[in-house]
């Protein structure tokens, strides 16, 4: 099963996250299938950049977003 989830990047105490499509059995930072965007919560306000076409394509293929990614997609009005 493919999931849309966050993978941690950045240095110690300065994280940012990539939003990726990845096999649900793989580790958090394992090789991913496709990069959809990124999320940087350390800035004020948080920076979010998502390729909506890729996100909708993966959702149409049956990818399941995690709770955090689902809330980010709703904030960006990609899903309702």
């Amino acid at each position: 099963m493919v999931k849309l989830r966050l993978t941690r990047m950045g240095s110690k105490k300065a994280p940012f996250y990539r939003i990726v499509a990845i096999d649900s059995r793989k580790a958090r930072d394992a090789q991913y299938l496709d990069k959809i965007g990124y999320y940087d919560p350390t800035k004020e306000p948080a920076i979010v950049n998502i390729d909506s076409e890729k996100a909708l394509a993966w959702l149409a293929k049956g990818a399941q977003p995690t709770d955090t990614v689902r809330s980010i997609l709703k904030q960006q009005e990609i899903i309702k």
Side-chain angles (χ1 to χ4, degrees), residues 2 5 8-9 11-12 15 17 20-21 25 31-32 40 43 45 47 61 65 69 72 74 76:
V2 176
R5 68 183 188 200
R8 190 181 194 278
M9 306 295 289
S11 62
K12 185 176 181 180
Y17 301 90
V20 297
R25 297 168 291 195
Q31 184 67 38
Y32 51 84
D40 188 352
K43 305 290 190 281
I47 298 171
K61 291 177 189 174
V69 172
I72 292 170
K74 284 183 182 178
Q76 298 298 307

Side-chain angles (χ1 to χ4, degrees), residues 1 6 12 22 26 28 32 37-38 44-45 47-48 54 56 61 66 71 73 78 80:
M1 172 190 285
L6 300 175
K12 185 176 181 180
I22 189 169
K26 294 203 176 207
R28 178 192 72 184
Y32 51 84
Y38 64 86
E44 191 59 46
I47 298 171
V48 179
K54 281 186 181 181
L56 291 172
K61 291 177 189 174
T66 60
S71 69
L73 292 174
I78 294 172
K80 303 298 180 240

